[in-house]
Amino acid sequence: MTNWKALAAAAEPPVPENLLPDVIPALEELEAALRVLERDIAPETLLWNGREDEE
Amino acid sequence: MTIAEIGAALRSKKISVRELTEETLQRIADANPRLNAFITVTGVAARLRAAVLDHELACGVDRGPLHGIPIAHKDNIFTRGVRTTGGSKIFADFVPDYDATIVSQLNDAGANVIGKTGLHEFAYGITSNNPHFGAIRNPWDPERVPGGSSGGSAAAVAAGLVPLATGTDTGGSIRIPAAFCGVVGLKPTYERVSRRGVMPLGLTLDHAGVLAATVRDVALALSPIAKHSSGYRPVTHADLRGMRIGVPENFFVERIAPDVMLSFRAAVQTVAALGAHVTEIKLPDVEAINVAGRIVQLSEVSALLARYLDRRDEFGRDIQVLVEQGRLIPAIDYLNAQRVRTVLVRDFSKIWKHLDCLMTPATPMTAPKIGEMNVAIGTFTEDVRTAATRLTRPFNVLGWPALALPCGFSSAGMPIGLQMVAPPQQEDTLLQAGAALEDAFGIVGRHPPT
């Protein structure tokens, strides 16, 4: 999983330390959920484009 | 009064547009110190325009049902020559040099702009507790939030200050305040209403729409702004015979406050009594939609707002946190969230083979108190923002039209909202179902005691 704290420190400008307790938990939660969902994406799947008729 | 009632009074000369405008401005002057629904009131321009609209009617020029109707625009929607703050300090003095398309369309239809309504900072939140312009208050209980981000629009309509207001909706920002304030809010199909001149937030999630006191008023406002509008107007005392309405048996009925669930179940019984064919349906993975939607939104908003990080101190703390989250999300995750969205849209769209409409609670709870960060729903405690958006966000991700309308009141006297959802471009179905329900409920259009 991503080291969000290291990423936050390396960002330009860095994420202020006092925000980290509120910033990181949601990112960890979303990353964990996305990793599961990504497994089921077929290679040919395109980006959503707002149209219903894409197959 | 409804838009139709005001229109009848104007055409029978019981009232002029000028008198209507003066009354409206007076109501706002009386109520705004208490509610803080408006950031800007455009009294001078509204009076001038009222005179023109009166003159037109006197000359036989009738622009239609919105002729002379006072309207408020959310303050993230461009109005030429009138400052448009986005509820932010950064844009506090921004004055657009053109009208948003939705503003032009409603102007052409005869609406008279009265002012600009307050919102959650950058339209990026659901409380409308704005650090720069002050907290907007819920007319049903001023200690509670009106919802957001279109909180000022919903509060203004609920308090009877204006019969019509515009809003924007990226994760529920029209429907949540509509539910919390007991008014009707429509998020149309993705891209059915122009976003030109609307401050962008979620680039592939933003929708522009309207809030009004009744479903029929929403129908009148949709007609001039919707691409390929049919001009549909719901008939009086419509029934729902033959309409296939789905009621989710998962997700949308889980972690719901008891008062809300009670009203929702009563609404389901009402649609059945009106002749609809009600089917319980197990929906695909709604949690997954919200995960994809949150990643997409965080990334897209930060792509827009990160450029202002050198003025970080001018953001409220909640916006700072969200902007920082968004700029840390890798591009690969954003792109894969959009691909997950493609798959989910395809999966969810299969429900329309068997249904015309879906009904859910609009929010899991009624309006929280101003400053409350968490909400207890039964034995479950949840962050207010996550709770309020969890039933609305899926339809931004899917791009489907969704209508929120009041369906009851909690034991504390706060409005409870119902959400009706239809396939893309089928707003008329929502208006038909919503109008039948507002007749049956007999509570739509009710204003709080002053």
Side-chain angles (χ1 to χ4, degrees):
Chain A
M1 291 304 222
T2 303
N3 183 342
W4 294 105
K5 196 168 178 185
L7 203 58
E12 181 51 46
V15 179
E17 285 272 340
N18 67 321
L19 294 181
L20 291 180
D22 290 328
V23 168
I24 291 179
L27 292 173
E28 289 174 338
E29 174 209 334
L30 290 170
E31 183 186 22
L34 183 65
R35 294 292 167 262
V36 175
L37 296 170
E38 282 171 339
R39 288 187 213 135
D40 296 331
I41 309 176
E44 70 274 20
T45 303
L46 302 177
L47 293 182
W48 183 79
N49 63 6
R51 289 197 290 272
E52 295 294 313
D53 54 354
E54 285 293 314
E55 283 296 335
Chain B
M1 285 172 86
T2 66
I3 290 174
E5 287 166 346
I6 296 169
L10 287 171
R11 283 166 190 81
S12 65
K13 298 187 171 34
K14 285 184 184 151
I15 191 170
S16 67
V17 179
R18 275 171 288 192
E19 289 165 334
L20 174 66
T21 304
E22 288 303 329
E23 284 180 13
T24 303
L25 291 169
Q26 188 58 53
R27 276 199 302 274
I28 294 169
D30 292 344
N32 207 48
R34 179 168 47 90
L35 298 176
N36 195 30
F38 282 82
I39 288 180
T40 303
V41 177
T42 52
V44 173
R47 288 184 176 102
L48 289 170
R49 168 98 160 134
V52 172
L53 291 165
D54 269 337
H55 181 70
E56 287 183 354
L57 277 183
C59 296
V61 177
D62 189 336
R63 293 170 181 257
L66 299 187
H67 193 118
I69 299 299
I71 188 169
H73 292 299
K74 185 177 178 181
D75 207 26
N76 63 345
I77 298 178
F78 284 18
T79 39
R80 184 165 54 115
V82 178
R83 74 169 178 158
T84 299
T85 67
S88 72
K89 191 171 180 184
I90 284 168
F91 293 115
D93 300 314
F94 171 62
V95 179
D97 59 4
Y98 70 96
D99 281 327
T101 297
I102 187 173
V103 171
S104 301
Q105 290 167 323
L106 290 163
N107 282 347
D108 290 348
N112 190 13
V113 179
I114 292 292
K116 306 293 295 289
T117 53
L119 64 155
H120 199 103
E121 184 179 6
F122 289 114
Y124 202 10
I126 64 94
T127 66
S128 301
N129 188 2
N130 190 302
H132 315 297
F133 297 93
I136 302 168
R137 294 176 181 275
N138 191 313
W140 292 92
D141 178 352
E143 298 304 310
R144 292 178 186 271
V145 304
S149 61
S150 312
S153 290
V157 172
L161 308 185
V162 285
L164 180 62
T166 52
T168 58
D169 191 318
T170 304
S173 283
I174 288 174
R175 292 158 289 155
I176 293 164
F180 285 178
C181 288
V183 301
V184 181
L186 175 67
K187 179 198 82 66
T189 306
Y190 183 67
E191 293 196 328
R192 183 141 196 215
V193 171
S194 170
R195 292 183 289 163
R196 181 179 168 273
V198 175
M199 285 184 177
L201 185 70
L203 293 164
T204 67
L205 295 163
D206 291 342
H207 299 64
V210 289
L211 300 97
T214 71
V215 175
R216 288 178 172 82
D217 284 354
V218 163
L220 294 175
L222 181 66
S223 187
I225 62 173
K227 291 167 190 163
H228 317 297
S229 170
S230 68
Y232 173 76
R233 293 189 201 173
V235 298
T236 309
H237 300 302
D239 65 37
L240 296 178
R241 267 180 290 188
M243 189 178 285
R244 302 168 301 168
I245 296 183
V247 176
E249 61 183 34
N250 59 321
F251 192 85
F252 289 95
V253 289
E254 295 159 8
R255 290 179 286 148
I256 307 293
D259 282 351
V260 175
M261 187 51 96
L262 207 61
S263 284
F264 176 65
R265 289 295 178 208
V268 172
Q269 290 179 349
T270 302
V271 296
L274 290 166
H277 181 67
V278 177
T279 309
E280 286 219 340
I281 177 168
K282 186 169 191 307
L283 293 167
D285 192 350
V286 190
E287 287 284 8
I289 285 211
N290 279 335
V291 167
R294 286 172 65 196
I295 292 170
V296 168
Q297 180 169 345
L298 286 167
S299 307
E300 292 181 348
V301 180
S302 291
L304 296 164
L305 294 185
R307 66 195 298 185
Y308 303 110
L309 274 178
D310 59 339
R311 298 168 69 180
R312 188 196 302 276
D313 292 347
E314 296 176 48
F315 290 151
R317 183 184 164 87
D318 61 333
I319 304 299
Q320 286 186 41
V321 168
L322 292 166
V323 171
E324 296 294 2
Q325 286 172 339
R327 77 186 178 106
L328 294 183
I329 292 174
I332 290 173
D333 287 356
Y334 169 75
L335 293 169
N336 278 338
Q338 288 284 30
R339 294 172 75 220
V340 167
R341 186 179 185 183
T342 301
V343 174
L344 291 168
V345 169
R346 200 177 297 154
D347 287 349
F348 271 75
S349 296
K350 290 172 186 161
I351 70 168
W352 299 126
K353 286 180 185 164
H354 311 288
L355 297 175
D356 300 308
C357 196
L358 194 64
M359 65 190 286
T360 78
T363 54
M365 76 291 196
T366 56
K369 293 247 171 84
I370 293 171
E372 251 182 325
M373 303 298 286
N374 296 297
V375 60
I377 300 173
T379 56
F380 191 82
T381 299
E382 193 172 6
D383 165 69
V384 162
R385 175 194 184 87
T386 310
T389 55
R390 90 170 118 84
L391 308 186
T392 50
R393 187 188 304 283
F395 305 110
N396 295 78
V397 180
L398 294 165
W400 296 349
L403 179 78
L405 72 157
C407 67
F409 289 88
S410 70
S411 54
M414 294 307 294
I416 292 170
L418 176 71
Q419 179 172 235
M420 307 292 293
V421 183
Q425 314 300 331
Q426 300 304 310
E427 280 80 356
D428 291 357
T429 303
L430 294 182
L431 297 171
Q432 182 191 352
L437 282 169
E438 79 180 354
D439 289 341
F441 293 149
I443 58 167
V444 179
R446 191 185 292 179
H447 296 294
T450 51

